[in-house]
């Protein structure tokens, strides 16, 4: 009786994990090719870029805000990075891309604090507008052309390595992600800056009266998000070897869904970057499994939506 | 003295509604250019172009007043249209097509309401997921290719004119008045405001909060589907791609108009203005020959500015020395 | 009109448990018709819980409730209302965005015949208790006492025979309190019973006919007020004898520590004063007089038009709370739920949040030290909580307040600003907080104390400033000045 | 007196699509030579915006509209209105369904169905003994995607061409194409002999996926569009077939036709622009594209 309860509670607390296990088992039984190493590494490669973006988004949501402009940042950073390889070389381009992401995020944070947007809905639509601005700038810069890194005259082997290289059999992109994740986990749980984010998410006024600089924390959160988007952008770009002003379309909604499915509430204050990773994993796995099971693309969209709605619903029931 | 105080009052109410300011600014701007912007045809055309999202917006406003939001209306709209076209093509009478469309929307609203109101999930995220799901259903229904109607009579519903006024504008006006009265003068509408204003208080005052808010979602779903049927008639087609950007656009317009996502503040008139601004921007820029990326850039900046200025005004008020 | 002998409400052996807490343990009370029934008890004694069970917000675990002769099994707030039992909660229960009339008849729009009917009937009700509030005014624009009147009017609109008021006076000025007293007397004359919960014993003695003392979820005693003395009541509440409600006043005032000159904002006009070392400086004034605004301005939480601030003789700039903390200030805000606590966070996190800077080396928080601080303050302040990791929203009001006090004690500020530190706190906890205040001044700190309870200010402070309409209107030595003198300056 | 400006509108699905952006640049370049002022309207893949744009064009008294819509059949009611108002309606690189042809005045360019047909024919010529192919489709529900798919499937000889699998992308983005291709590789591995991708940049994603799986050698990759990247891939030999559309020709044809109609001269209702069938063998004979 006791044990049963414990088991139930464990299941309840780890629904996402359970979902992943069920999905993996069912797919592996019906389509054994699922377990091929190549497929598994593919899934890992595929999820890294979204995982980066979702990682940044986790901080934004813990801080009690939201950001719809990640798609704009991902695309603009990809354009900037790809077009800088020729003039300044790949290391320079990479650094500039990351810097650009951080700056775009900082710009978001600054605009929001200057306007004094504090309600999530305000933030939602302001970043929605910013997304439009970023994408438009990217389009103006490239004239909607797709930039291909393979066309650069300078070496670009570092980018291809990020996208498709492996180290000891593990994709390099996932290694980079693991390092960043570890840093971010440490940052969230152990540092003052990380704590200030969740305190702000919990109660802005109280945090302010205890000496936390809300505006600065907000800028920091958005800068982190911009930086993470830049990482996501670069990983994605090196994987597909192209950069466009529309790269990463749909990432904003997907990232938010991953974060929420992972168990971070939109109310702010509570959340965990590791759980977000589970969310990303579930979402990525889902489309892979559907493809392998031969479901039509349309059915996949239905299933995607259904799984998300169910995941959020179940997660919510647990909290009630 | 009285002149200045009147002006002051006007200015105050204007600055409370940035959307009206934006309209005035755009209209003033257009005075300096030689276009047909000020022709009655253009204004009727703008109203007609905006009528579909306005109608959706009216329903969503009820939900927003109750303190939630509905991003699934895009999917609801396209499903409503697809069902209507399917029935019309199968030679069922039009009223049945309308009924089936609206019922499908009501069903979606019922499910949304169950999840958001009864199960207390986060409306933003759950309706976003629901929108995704509905898009998939719409694709499944049509095999992802647009479905044209073969019935020219059906097309007329949204493409005719009543006394020189496009029928869609007339439908919109009727719904505008209906929704305005619903929220302003009926017990149901007032209950919505109470729920959005303070959920617990409304509950303790004996308002059936669950039912009221749930009905709001049904209303929102039904109007979205109704708009979908009208759109199908307007376009003579039902397709799964129609609603892709609608959900975000409608909710954004509502916020631009000044209806607060926190609930309890705003109304139909505000939403109407807010949604109209969006149409006005693209119409005036189109006439000025500003297209493509620059238009997207300007639209983004205007959205940021309108909502940002609203925030800023509130911040100034909070911090006033 | 009252029918003596007939009980409007009979509660028998009601129990209620929350996870880890037995909030009510076999509670029995009997409320006759047409009386004012007082309930007193420490924080967390279970007063609010009992009322919430009566009004249907919580469900009882066991026991019986009889209202108006009928046994009530399960009820919802609205059923209770329609039966004639209304409750005015500690926190206001109004929709700020709607009009007064609509608030009174919330949810009964149709029954009242639409907008016009609502306003007409609301007007009539408000007139009947002699209030001139416009029924079209937005509730959010009203003052606290006006909101209270709206609440009472709402209760009357249901033809209530029992009105529960859970700490109605915590946000009222003495003037407004008098008005409330009048209304309660009117209710009594109409045969309507009132349950009156308060920590302010003066009010209990003034208004109530019968009083029940609760402690730790149990009813300790119920008696006519006339048969119970003040000291007896306090003794029963805290379960021990308290010789004094206030600890002895400290006399360790030194030289000037903080000098404020020409503080001006939208609401404040040229406020200047000095705070000395080792002094407790009391601010007295009506609600809205601007006391909170003064301290928030000093603390850098609000913007100001002009002011100069000298700390230990040196001109210092305090533009935000951070700088205030660096300068050695701490603020215990007025509204603990909205401004003080992070409710979904643990007791520990709430206690340590101001001193995180000190626990941080190279940006990394020392978790073991954090735990240590949490435990220390919980013990130090005797915070009643299952564990340091318990979320603060399940704590009672007084214990929540202690968490915030603990937060500042840990930081040990030179100047501690306490804005209504004992609002909604029981006598025992109050005494503890007073002792803490004394400990702080003894150690060389200074305190600015804002309180709406005049006796408290008079007994604790070394000096009292009266504030009226944004101006400092007087300075008194509480040991020599009379309460009447001070109040007359505070009223203006 | 000053001559009245002749305004023509180019209404496109989305300028985010490079081919459309290039087409618009061609309008900007050539329209002045005909004395037209070109205006741009964008649907952003939302047909409602196209309808609204046509309304604006009517209000503003445009002479002609050249439109490449997201969903041609949805435009019919507004085409009727435009014609009633005397605005010339021309389809650009897209065609309305047969029964509605009376509501547009002319069409210039190719039909995406033909792209699919050419892809199928070239594929069958390259593999006379039969071939196993996977299809990576464009944005599902999109006019071009539907037509390129239908054209291909209606042309292939089921006896010779086995379609192993076919999936559409949620969007026209190369990472979606790459993900789908990866899953195809997992499922079919070296069975895959050919890939038909609906657009060149999507083909980039497919090629990268094949490369990573070491399967690129010998796989016949088909892309449609004829942009720089497509040409590059053909030159590199990673893509075997690139079906190009000549947007400069399409634009000048459109402008020609509009001028003829305005001058009341006889004109062709349909002007086909031949597709460029670019293969590694003949790539040097085509001019390198400008987009
Ligand atoms: N929702 C709840 N969940 C868990 N515990 C609760 C809840 N509400 C109250 N309690 C606990 O029940 C006990 C009684 O609380 P109650 O609010 O009734 O006290 P009170 O007498 O009204 O105190 P105060 O004077 O501070 O308002 C407290 O120990 C409190 O922590
Ligand atoms: N005339 C007014 N107009 C608008 N708001 C007011 C007015 N008076 C008071 N308030 C509001 O009431 C709050 C309490 O006022 P304030 O802090 O100045 O008074 P106080 O003396 O500290 O009163 P309290 O006893 O409530 O602490 C203020 O924060 C302010 O928002
Ligand atoms: Mg209480
Ligand atoms: Mg105060």
């Amino acid at each position: 009786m006791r044990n049963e309860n414990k088991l139930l509670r464990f299941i309840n607390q780890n629904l996402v994990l359970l979902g992943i296990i069920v999905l993996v088992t069912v797919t592996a039984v019906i389509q054994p090719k699922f377990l091929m190493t190549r497929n598994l590494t593919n899934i890992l490669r595929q999820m890294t870029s979204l995982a980066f973006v979702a990682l940044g988004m986790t901080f934004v949501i813990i801080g009690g805000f939201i950001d719809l402009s990640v798609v704009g940042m991902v695309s603009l950073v990809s354009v900037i990075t790809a077009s800088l390889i020729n003039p300044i070389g790949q290391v320079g381009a990479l650094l500039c891309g990351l810097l650009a992401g951080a700056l775009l995020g900082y710009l978001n944070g600054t605009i929001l604090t200057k306007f004094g947007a504090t309600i999530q809905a305000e933030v939602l639509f302001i970043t929605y507008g910013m997304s439009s601005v970023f994408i438009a700038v990217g389009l103006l810069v490239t004239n909607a052309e797709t930039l291909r890194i393979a066309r650069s005259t300078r070496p670009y082997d570092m980018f291809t390595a990020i996208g498709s290289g492996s180290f000891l059999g593990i994709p390099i992109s996932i290694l980079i992600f693991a390092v960043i994740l570890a840093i971010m986990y440490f940052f969230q749980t152990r540092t003052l800056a990380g704590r200030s984010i969740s305190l702000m998410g919990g109660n802005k006024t109280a945090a302010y009266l205890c000496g936390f600089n809300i505006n600065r924390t907000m800028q920091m959160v958005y800068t982190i998000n911009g930086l993470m988007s830049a990482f996501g952008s670069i990983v994605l770009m090196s994987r597909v070897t192209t950069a466009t002003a529309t790269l990463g379309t749909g990432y904003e909604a997907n990232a938010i869904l991953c974060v929420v499915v992972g168990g971070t509430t939109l109310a702010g204050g509570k959340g965990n970057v590791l759980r977000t990773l589970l969310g990303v994993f579930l979402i990525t796995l889902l489309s892979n499994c559907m493809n392998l099971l031969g479901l039509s693309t349309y059915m996949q969209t239905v299933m995607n939506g259904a799984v998300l709605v169910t995941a959020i619903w179940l997660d919510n029931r647990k909290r009630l | 003295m009285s002149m200045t105080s009147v002006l002051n009052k006007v200015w105050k109410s204007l600055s409370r509604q940035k959307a009206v300011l934006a309209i005035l600014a755009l209209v003033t701007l257009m005075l300096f250019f030689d276009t047909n912007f000020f022709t009655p045809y253009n204004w009727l055309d703008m109203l007609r172009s905006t009528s579909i999202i306005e109608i959706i917006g009216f329903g969503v406003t009820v939900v927003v007043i109750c303190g939630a939001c509905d991003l699934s209306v895009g999917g609801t709209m396209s499903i409503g249209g697809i069902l209507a076209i399917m029935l019309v093509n199968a030679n069922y009478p039009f009223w049945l097509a309308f009924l089936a469309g609206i019922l499908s929307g009501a069903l979606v609203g019922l499910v949304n309401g169950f999840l958001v109101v009864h199960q207390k999930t986060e409306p933003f995220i759950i309706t976003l997921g629901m929108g995704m799901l509905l898009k998939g259903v719409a694709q499944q229904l049509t095999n992802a290719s647009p479905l044209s109607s073969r019935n020219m009579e059906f097309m007329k519903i949204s493409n005719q004119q009543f006394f020189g006024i496009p029928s869609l504008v007339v439908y919109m006006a009727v719904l505008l008045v209906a929704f305005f009265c619903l929220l302003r003068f009926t017990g149901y509408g007032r209950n919505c405001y109470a729920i959005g204003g303070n959920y617990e208080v409304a509950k303790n005052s004996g308002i059936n909060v669950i039912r009221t808010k749930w009905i709001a979602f049904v209303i929102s779903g039904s109007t979205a589907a109704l708009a979908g049927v009208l759109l199908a008639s307007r376009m003579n087609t039902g397709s799964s791609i129609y609603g892709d950007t609608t959900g975000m656009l409608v909710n954004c317009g509502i916020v631009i108009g000044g209806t607060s996502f926190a609930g309890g503040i705003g109304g139909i008139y505000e939403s109407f203005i807010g949604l109209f601004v969006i149409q006005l921007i693209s119409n005036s820029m189109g006439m000025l020959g500003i297209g493509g990326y620059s238009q997207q850039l300007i639209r983004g900046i205007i959205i940021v500015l309108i909502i940002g200025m609203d925030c800023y005004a509130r911040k100034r008020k909070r911090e006033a020395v | 009109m009252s029918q003596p002998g007939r009980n409007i409400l009979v509660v028998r052996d009601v129990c209620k448990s929350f996870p880890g807490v037995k909030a009510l343990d076999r509670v029995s009370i009997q409320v006759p018709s047409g009386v004012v029934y007082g309930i007193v008890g420490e924080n967390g004694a279970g007063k609010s819980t009992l009322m919430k069970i009566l009004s249907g917000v919580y469900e009882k675990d066991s026991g019986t409730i009889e209202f108006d002769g009928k046994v009530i099994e399960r009820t919802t707030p609205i059923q209770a209302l329609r039966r004639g039992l209304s409750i005015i909660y500690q926190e206001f229960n109004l929709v700020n965005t709607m009009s007064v009339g609509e608030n009174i008849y919330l949810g009964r729009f149709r029954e009242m015949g639409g907008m016009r009917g609502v306003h007409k009937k609301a007007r009539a009700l408000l007139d009947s208790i002699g209030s001139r509030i416009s029924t079209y005014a937005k509730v959010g624009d009203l003052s606290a006492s006006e909101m209270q009147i709206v609440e009472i009017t709402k209760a009357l609109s249901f033809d209530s025979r029992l009105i529960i008021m859970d700490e109605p006076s915590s946000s009222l000025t003495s003037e407004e309190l008098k008005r409330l007293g009048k209304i309660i007397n009117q209710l009594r004359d109409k045969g309507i019973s009132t349950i009156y919960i308060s920590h302010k014993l003066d009010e209990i003695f003034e208004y109530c006919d019968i009083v029940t003392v609760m402690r730790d979820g149990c009813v300790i005693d119920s008696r006519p007020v006339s048969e119970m003395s003040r000291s007896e009541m306090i003794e029963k509440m805290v379960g021990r004898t308290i010789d004094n409600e206030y600890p002895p006043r400290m006399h360790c005032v030194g030289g000037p520590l903080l000098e404020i000159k020409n503080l001006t904002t939208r609401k404040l006009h040229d406020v200047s004063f000095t705070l000395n070392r080792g002094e407790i400086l009391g601010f007295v004034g009506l609600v809205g007089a601007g006391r909170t605004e003064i301290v928030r301005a000093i603390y850098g939480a609000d913007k100001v038009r002009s002011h100069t601030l000298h700390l230990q003789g040196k001109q210092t700039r305090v533009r935000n709370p951070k700088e205030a903390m660096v300068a050695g200030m701490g603020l215990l805000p007025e509204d603990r739920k909205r401004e003080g606590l992070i409710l979904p966070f643990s007791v520990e996190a709430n206690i340590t949040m101001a001193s995180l800077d000190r626990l941080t080396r190279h940006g990394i928080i020392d978790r073991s030290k954090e735990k240590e601080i949490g435990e220390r303050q919980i013990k130090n302040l005797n915070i009643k909580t299952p564990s340091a990791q318990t979320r603060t929203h399940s704590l009672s009001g007084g214990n929540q307040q202690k968490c915030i006090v603990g937060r500042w004690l840990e930081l040990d500020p030179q100047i501690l600003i306490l804005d209504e530190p004992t609002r909604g706190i029981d006598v025992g906890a109050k005494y503890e907080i007073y002792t803490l205040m004394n400990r702080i001044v003894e150690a060389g700190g200074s305190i600015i104390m804002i309180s709406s309870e005049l006796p408290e200010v008079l007994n604790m402070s070394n000096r009292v400033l009266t504030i009226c309409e944004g101006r400092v209107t007087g300075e008194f030595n509480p040991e020599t000045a009379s309460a009447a003198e001070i109040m007359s300056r505070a009223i203006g | 007196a000053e001559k009245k400006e002749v305004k023509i509108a180019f209404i496109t699905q989305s300028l985010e699509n490079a081919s459309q952006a290039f087409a618009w640049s061609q309008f900007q370049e050539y329209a002045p030579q005909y004395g037209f002022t070109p205006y741009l309207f964008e649907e952003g893949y939302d047909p409602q915006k196209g309808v609204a744009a046509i309304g604006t064009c009517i209000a503003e008294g445009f002479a002609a509209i050249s439109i490449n819509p997201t969903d041609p059949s949805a435009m019919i009611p507004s085409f009727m209105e435009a014609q009633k108002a005397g605005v010339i309606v021309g389809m650009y690189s897209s065609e309305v369904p047969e029964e509605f042809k009376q509501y547009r005045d002319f069409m210039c360019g190719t039909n995406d169905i033909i792209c699919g047909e050419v892809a199928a024919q070239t594929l069958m010529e390259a593999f006379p003994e039969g071939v196993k192919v996977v299809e990576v489709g464009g944005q599902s529900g999109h006019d071009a995607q539907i037509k390129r798919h239908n054209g291909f499937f209606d042309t292939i000889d089921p006896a010779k061409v086995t379609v192993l699998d076919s999936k559409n992308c949620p969007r026209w983005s190369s990472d979606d194409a790459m993900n789908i291709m990866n899953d195809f590789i997992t499922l079919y591995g070296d069975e895959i002999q050919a890939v038909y991708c609906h657009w060149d940049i999507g083909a980039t994603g497919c090629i990268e996926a094949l490369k990573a799986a070491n399967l690129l050698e010998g796989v016949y990759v088909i892309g449609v569009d004829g942009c720089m990247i497509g040409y590059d891939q053909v030159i590199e030999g990673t893509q075997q077939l690139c079906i190009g559309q000549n947007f400069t020709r399409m634009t000048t044809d459109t402008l020609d036709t509009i001028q003829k109609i305005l001058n009341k001269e006889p004109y062709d209702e349909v002007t086909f622009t031949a597709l460029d069938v670019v293969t590694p063998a003949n790539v040097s004979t085509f001019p390198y594209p400008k987009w």
Side-chain angles (χ1 to χ4, degrees), chain C residues 235-404:
Chain C
E235 200 181 310
K236 289 199 162 118
M237 275 164 69
V238 296
R240 60 181 185 273
T241 333
I242 287 196
D243 307 323
N244 242 322
E245 275 182 63
Y246 302 99
R249 198 192 310 267
M250 285 290 143
H251 291 282
C252 38
V253 181
L257 176 61
L258 175 76
E259 280 172 86
I260 306 290
K261 285 210 183 72
N262 312 106
L263 172 60
T264 305
T265 70
R266 194 171 44 144
K267 268 186 76 184
L268 303 177
H269 311 283
D270 214 7
V271 171
S272 306
F273 66 91
T274 310
L275 173 70
N276 296 314
R277 223 178 285 275
E279 179 184 45
I280 298 181
L281 178 64
F283 280 8
V284 173
L286 304 179
V287 173
R291 298 163 301 174
T292 302
E293 298 232 338
I294 294 176
V295 293
R296 282 180 64 96
I298 298 172
Y299 192 65
D302 289 339
K303 292 211 173 116
V304 295
R305 279 191 192 146
S306 73
H307 84 308
T308 49
L309 188 152
H310 289 264
L311 196 64
Q312 302 185 332
K314 267 209 310 277
Q315 180 157 1
T316 314
R317 276 168 67 131
V318 175
R319 286 162 303 185
N320 54 44
K322 179 87 211 164
E323 288 181 349
M325 284 166 66
V326 171
M329 296 190 216
L331 170 72
L332 182 139
E334 188 174 21
D335 183 337
R336 60 175 164 261
K337 280 192 181 155
R338 285 216 342 260
E339 303 174 323
L341 291 171
I342 302 187
L343 289 172
F345 280 32
S346 69
V347 172
E348 180 188 290
N350 272 291
I351 289 175
T352 57
M353 66 185 275
S355 32
L356 283 178
D357 261 345
R358 297 185 179 181
L359 307 177
T360 305
R361 189 142 300 175
H362 309 303
I364 298 162
I365 300 172
D366 185 337
R367 290 280 280 277
S368 55
K369 261 197 203 154
E370 196 186 352
K371 268 208 174 71
E372 197 183 297
I373 291 180
E375 295 295 340
R376 183 164 65 220
Q377 292 302 337
I378 289 173
K379 222 169 89 204
N380 186 9
L381 295 174
N382 199 10
I383 299 175
K384 275 186 217 153
T385 166
S387 85
Q389 301 308 322
T390 309
R391 296 178 181 191
T392 44
H393 63 198
S394 61
L395 260 51
S396 81
N399 286 311
Q400 289 179 340
Q401 188 76 309
K402 284 187 198 165
C403 292
I404 308 177

Side-chain angles (χ1 to χ4, degrees), chain B residues 23-65:
Chain B
I23 290 181
L24 286 181
L26 275 173
V27 169
T28 318
L29 180 78
M30 291 309 284
L31 280 173
F32 295 96
F33 293 91
D34 176 30
T35 60
N36 292 341
F37 181 77
F38 292 101
T39 53
Y41 180 88
N42 189 43
W43 281 82
L44 282 178
D45 183 63
M46 276 196 282
L47 282 175
R48 180 174 55 177
S49 301
T50 187
S51 57
I52 296 292
I53 60 165
E54 290 281 3
I55 292 173
I56 299 175
F58 297 157
V60 177
T61 303
V62 181
V63 172
V64 174
I65 292 285

Side-chain angles (χ1 to χ4, degrees), chain C residues 61-81:
Chain C
D61 294 342
S62 64
T64 55
I65 296 174
E66 248 178 62
F67 182 75
D68 203 14
K70 281 190 277 299
V71 176
I72 310 291
E73 257 321 306
R74 299 178 64 179
T75 183
T76 62
I78 187 63
Q79 283 170 352
L81 268 176

